[in-house]
Amino acid sequence: IGSGEAGLVEELLSPDLTDDFGMVHSTFQPHSRIGEEVTRPTQEVGYLISGKLRLWVGARQFDVEPGDSFRIRGEPYRWSNPWDEEAVAIWVIAPPVY
């Protein structure tokens, strides 16, 4: 699967997309970022495994580090990885949107 954004590789961890949620392994390449803000009719929870990721949820900015989690509840968001190391996260998205 994938978002189509350069620098983001997404792999489906759920067996398929027929349940109420999907689980995704996301790898954000160094110096990558999303082109435009995204708003989806979903609830999303993420957990950063490695690297660092900058997130904007609504008007708030967060620098997420390994062991941190985050939640997005149908709010506009965007991301960037301005650092020299890839960032790896697990996302749970309900309902699945892929």
Side-chain angles (χ1 to χ4, degrees):
I1 65 173
S3 71
E5 294 296 328
L8 173 59
V9 176
E10 296 180 300
E11 300 173 75
L12 185 64
L13 296 178
S14 303
D16 55 37
L17 296 172
T18 61
D19 291 315
D20 294 335
F21 64 90
M23 187 178 301
V24 178
H25 181 274
S26 301
T27 303
F28 303 85
Q29 296 301 314
H31 307 286
S32 62
R33 65 184 173 93
I34 195 167
E36 295 183 17
E37 191 173 75
V38 173
T39 304
R40 303 192 283 203
T42 58
Q43 290 196 43
E44 305 183 32
V45 176
Y47 178 81
L48 198 68
I49 297 171
S50 63
K52 290 179 17 179
L53 187 65
R54 182 162 291 156
L55 288 174
W56 291 265
V57 179
R60 299 182 64 192
Q61 176 184 314
F62 304 92
D63 285 343
V64 183
E65 299 189 359
D68 290 344
S69 62
F70 54 89
R71 178 176 41 222
I72 303 167
R73 292 182 178 154
E75 303 157 288
Y77 74 93
R78 59 190 170 102
W79 58 264
S80 74
N81 179 3
W83 294 282
D84 294 332
E85 177 183 352
E86 70 181 18
V88 177
I90 301 296
W91 288 54
V92 177
I93 305 167
V97 292
Y98 295 97

